[in-house]
Amino acid sequence: MSYLDHIWACNNFDPADYVPFEIDGARVGWVRRDNVRYLAAHDAVFEIAESCVALVPALEAVEDRSAALAGVVDRLAADGTLPKPRSELYPLTEAFNDPPFALIERSAVPFFGARALGVHMNGYVRRDGDIHMWVARRARDKTSYPGMLDNMVAGGQPHGLGLRENMIKECGEEAGIPEEIAQHVIPVGFIDYAHESEDGAKPDRQYCYDLELPANFMPIAADGEVDEFMLWPLEQVAETIRETFEFKFNCNLVILDFMVRHGYLDPDTEPDYTDLCRGLHASKG
Amino acid sequence: MSYLDHIWACNNFDPADYVPFEIDGARVGWVRRDNVRYLAAHDAVFEIAESCVALVPALEAVEDRSAALAGVVDRLAADGTLPKPRSELYPLTEAFNDPPFALIERSAVPFFGARALGVHMNGYVRRDGDIHMWVARRARDKTSYPGMLDNMVAGGQPHGLGLRENMIKECGEEAGIPEEIAQHVIPVGFIDYAHESEDGAKPDRQYCYDLELPANFMPIAADGEVDEFMLWPLEQVAETIRETFEFKFNCNLVILDFMVRHGYLDPDTEPDYTDLCRGLHASKG
C-alpha cells in the first residue's frame, strides 16, 4: 500500500449514489438515494424531486428551519432510523463563520450529508531536533472506530464556539492539557475530504492545529475517550500510515499534512508528492 | 483590497482564449488562439485543428520531439516572435520527477503555455518569538518585474537538477547563503496557479521552502538579480500584501502559504480563510 491509499479511503464518496439536499437554492448536503423515502412522509418540511431534496421555501427563518428539521430528526430517531440525538447542534453551512442555513442535531449530520467541521491537533515534542508525535488509541468501548489510532486531540466543531476555543477545550477534556499550554496551538490550515460511511455522506473539513509540547509533558486520558497515549518517533508514525489502516481514516490525512508542512515528505524523493498534496484539499462533496 | 486579490491576480488565465497543446494525447500546455498562426508553417512538427495544437505522432522519441521544438523555437526567436533563448531546458511534464514528454527552451515555455516549475524560499528569523522575514527587491534593470518585491530566494526549475539542489544553488547565487546554512531549507508543499502574462499562459507550480536563518545572518545580493534585502516584521510583510501589489504576483501566494502554515492567518478571525487556503492550490491550467 502507499500513503495515497488514505487519500482514496477518505474520498470514497460517490455523488451518483446521492441526491443534493438544498436549502434556499444552495446545496447544504447529500441524501443517499435509498434514504430519501424516510423523508417522504414529512411533506410540510421537504420537497422531494427525482434529483433533489429541498427544504420547503415556506421555511424561511433559520429558527423555523432548525425546528422543522429537529422534529423530523426526533421522529427518525424514535423509529431507529437515526442514532440517538447527542444534544449538540451543528450548523448547515459552507465554511466556518458563514451564517448557517439551519442548525441540525449532530447525530443526523451524516444522514443529511452535511459538511461537518472539526478540529484535529498534532501534539509533538522535539528530541535532539527529531520530531516525536503523541498518538492516541481510541477507547475500545467507543461507538465509532473503537481501538483505532487517533490524533492526540480531535473533536467535532459545535455551533457557537470558536475553533481555537473548541480546540483548547478538547485539549483539556481529552488529553489533560492545561490551558496555559493548550493556548499555544497554532492553526495551520485544513483538510477536506468526502467520505462515505454506513451513516451516510461525510463531506467534512477538519481544521488542523500543531502544538509543540514540553519534552516532559505527559498527557492524561481525562474523559475516557482515549485508552492510552503513546509518544512515537515521527518515522514510526509515518510507517504505520504507509503500511496500515490502524489510524482512524481522517487522522491519516491530518498527519500527512503535518508531514508535508514539516518537510518530512520531500518532492525530490516522494513519487506521490503532487497527488498527496492535492489530495489533502480535494473533495467531491 | 484584500489578500484574495492576489489569488485572483495569479489566476487570470482564461482557457477560452487558448487551445490545448498536446503530445501523445496528453495536454502539456496551452497556445493562445492568436498565436496558433505562428505554428502553421511548421507542419512537419504540428498538427493544427480548430480546437487543438498537437505534436505530429511521428515524433515519438523525447529527443526527436525536443529537437523539432528547438528548431521551431529558434526560427520564432529569429523573427522576433519569441524572446532570445536562454539556453536553459525545461521539461514538458505534469509534475516534478514525471518523465518529460519533451524538453523545451525556457524562453518558449509561456508561448506554449507549459507548466513551469520553480522553487521559492521564505527566509526568516525569530526575534523574541516573532517572525521577521527577509524580503528582496528585484534589480531595477531586470527584464521581468523590475524593482518589485520578491521572496528572499526564488528560481525556475531547470531539467536535470533536484529541487533541493536547485534551491541551495539559488541560495548561494541570489543571496550569498552558504551551503552549510542553505542545506537546512525545509520543503513545505507547493502553490499552483494559472497566470496569463503578455508572453502567454503560465500554469505554474512553485515548490515552497522555509529557511530559518541565524539572527545575525546578512544576505548578499550576489548575482545582481536583487537590489537589496530587507528584514521586515511579518506584520509589515502581511500589510504590504494586504494593501498593495508591490510583490511580484506569485510571491504573494508563497507568503500567504507561509502565513497559513505558521498560524499567522487564523480561521477564527480571517473571513477569507477558506478561499485563501483553497486558492493557493487551485488552478484552471
Side-chain angles (χ1 to χ4, degrees):
Chain A
M1 62 177 288
S2 85
Y3 291 132
L4 276 181
D5 285 302
H6 298 295
I7 304 282
W8 299 326
C10 283
N11 287 284
N12 63 340
F13 169 75
D14 182 352
D17 298 334
Y18 289 76
V19 297
F21 170 41
E22 296 187 356
I23 298 180
D24 199 15
R27 189 181 56 64
V28 298
W30 301 92
V31 179
R32 212 167 60 203
R33 288 183 182 277
D34 59 349
N35 278 340
V36 173
R37 61 198 158 104
Y38 296 113
L39 305 177
H42 303 276
D43 56 2
V45 181
F46 300 105
E47 285 180 347
I48 295 176
E50 173 86 28
S51 61
C52 182
V53 168
L55 217 62
V56 296
L59 292 167
E60 279 186 15
V62 171
E63 295 71 23
D64 296 340
R65 294 169 181 168
S66 305
L69 286 168
V72 173
V73 169
D74 280 346
R75 282 213 256 164
L76 291 176
D79 70 16
T81 305
L82 281 182
K84 204 161 139 278
R86 300 165 70 154
S87 302
E88 206 176 315
L89 287 176
Y90 271 35
L92 294 180
T93 183
E94 169 59 24
F96 183 71
N97 267 344
D98 281 5
F101 289 94
L103 302 180
I104 192 169
E105 164 59 36
R106 174 175 183 171
S107 61
V109 167
F111 182 91
F112 287 100
R115 181 192 295 282
L117 307 178
V119 290
H120 279 243
M121 187 271 275
N122 280 307
Y124 66 100
V125 300
R126 285 185 201 270
R127 285 184 178 172
D128 303 326
D130 290 331
I131 289 176
H132 294 242
M133 184 176 272
W134 280 105
V135 171
R137 183 175 300 280
R138 296 166 69 87
R140 284 163 220 277
D141 59 0
K142 244 180 118 79
T143 320
S144 58
Y145 310 99
M148 294 194 83
L149 299 176
D150 204 334
N151 295 121
M152 186 178 199
V153 178
Q157 179 63 30
H159 183 63
L161 206 62
L163 292 166
R164 174 185 293 272
E165 198 180 357
N166 186 30
M167 186 79 258
I168 292 174
K169 179 178 78 68
E170 295 280 354
C171 279
E173 289 175 5
E174 290 199 347
I177 304 174
E179 192 174 335
E180 59 268 28
I181 293 179
Q183 70 183 349
H184 296 293
V185 288
I186 296 175
V188 290
F190 56 75
I191 57 158
D192 279 340
Y193 54 82
H195 193 60
E196 177 174 34
S197 73
E198 283 176 21
D199 305 328
K202 294 179 65 55
D204 294 353
R205 172 168 303 165
Q206 306 297 343
Y207 288 89
C208 302
Y209 289 79
D210 281 0
L211 179 59
E212 183 169 353
L213 288 152
N216 60 353
F217 176 78
M218 290 296 295
I220 302 158
D223 64 358
E225 303 267 314
V226 167
D227 259 6
E228 54 175 339
F229 288 102
M230 299 162 291
L231 186 63
W232 286 1
L234 190 53
E235 172 54 42
Q236 183 181 353
V237 178
E239 199 178 300
T240 305
I241 290 177
R242 205 166 51 233
E243 296 176 7
T244 78
F245 286 95
E246 289 179 37
F247 275 96
K248 186 189 153 207
F249 70 106
N250 55 9
C251 301
N252 293 287
L253 270 52
V254 175
I255 295 171
L256 284 167
D257 177 68
F258 181 95
M259 289 164 61
V260 169
R261 289 183 292 98
H262 288 266
Y264 195 86
L265 295 178
D266 191 319
D268 274 315
T269 54
E270 172 53 54
D272 298 324
Y273 196 79
T274 298
D275 292 338
L276 279 171
C277 291
R278 299 190 74 103
L280 295 172
H281 308 106
S283 165
K284 286 173 298 188
Chain B
M1 61 176 290
S2 85
Y3 291 132
L4 277 181
D5 284 301
H6 298 294
I7 304 282
W8 299 326
C10 283
N11 287 283
N12 63 340
F13 169 75
D14 183 352
D17 298 335
Y18 289 76
V19 297
F21 170 40
E22 295 187 355
I23 298 181
D24 198 15
R27 188 180 57 63
V28 298
W30 300 92
V31 179
R32 212 168 60 204
R33 288 182 183 277
D34 59 350
N35 278 340
V36 173
R37 62 197 159 105
Y38 295 113
L39 305 177
H42 303 275
D43 55 4
V45 182
F46 300 106
E47 285 179 348
I48 295 176
E50 172 87 28
S51 60
C52 183
V53 169
L55 218 59
V56 296
L59 292 167
E60 279 188 11
V62 170
E63 294 71 22
D64 296 340
R65 294 170 180 167
S66 306
L69 286 168
V72 173
V73 169
D74 279 347
R75 281 213 256 164
L76 292 176
D79 71 16
T81 306
L82 281 182
K84 206 164 138 278
R86 300 166 70 156
S87 300
E88 205 176 317
L89 288 175
Y90 271 35
L92 294 180
T93 184
E94 170 58 26
F96 182 72
N97 267 342
D98 282 6
F101 289 95
L103 302 180
I104 191 168
E105 163 59 35
R106 175 174 183 173
S107 62
V109 167
F111 182 92
F112 288 100
R115 181 193 295 283
L117 307 178
V119 291
H120 279 242
M121 187 269 275
N122 280 307
Y124 65 100
V125 300
R126 287 184 199 272
R127 285 185 178 170
D128 304 326
D130 290 331
I131 288 176
H132 294 242
M133 184 175 272
W134 280 105
V135 172
R137 184 175 299 279
R138 297 165 68 88
R140 282 163 222 276
D141 59 1
K142 244 180 119 77
T143 320
S144 58
Y145 310 100
M148 294 194 82
L149 299 177
D150 204 333
N151 295 121
M152 187 178 198
V153 178
Q157 179 63 30
H159 182 63
L161 206 61
L163 293 165
R164 174 186 293 271
E165 199 181 355
N166 186 30
M167 186 80 257
I168 292 174
K169 180 178 78 68
E170 295 280 353
C171 279
E173 289 174 4
E174 290 200 346
I177 304 174
E179 191 173 335
E180 59 268 29
I181 293 180
Q183 70 184 350
H184 295 293
V185 288
I186 296 175
V188 291
F190 56 75
I191 58 158
D192 278 340
Y193 54 83
H195 192 60
E196 177 174 34
S197 74
E198 281 175 22
D199 305 327
K202 295 178 64 55
D204 293 353
R205 172 168 303 164
Q206 307 296 342
Y207 288 88
C208 302
Y209 290 78
D210 282 1
L211 179 59
E212 183 168 353
L213 288 153
N216 61 353
F217 176 78
M218 289 296 295
I220 303 159
D223 64 358
E225 303 267 312
V226 167
D227 260 4
E228 54 175 337
F229 287 103
M230 300 163 289
L231 186 62
W232 286 2
L234 190 53
E235 171 54 44
Q236 184 181 352
V237 179
E239 199 178 301
T240 304
I241 290 178
R242 204 165 53 232
E243 295 175 7
T244 79
F245 287 95
E246 288 180 35
F247 276 95
K248 187 191 151 206
F249 71 105
N250 55 9
C251 302
N252 293 286
L253 270 53
V254 175
I255 296 171
L256 284 167
D257 177 68
F258 181 96
M259 289 164 61
V260 168
R261 290 182 292 100
H262 287 267
Y264 196 86
L265 295 178
D266 191 319
D268 274 315
T269 54
E270 173 52 54
D272 297 324
Y273 196 79
T274 298
D275 292 338
L276 279 170
C277 291
R278 299 191 74 103
L280 295 173
H281 309 106
S283 164
K284 285 173 298 187

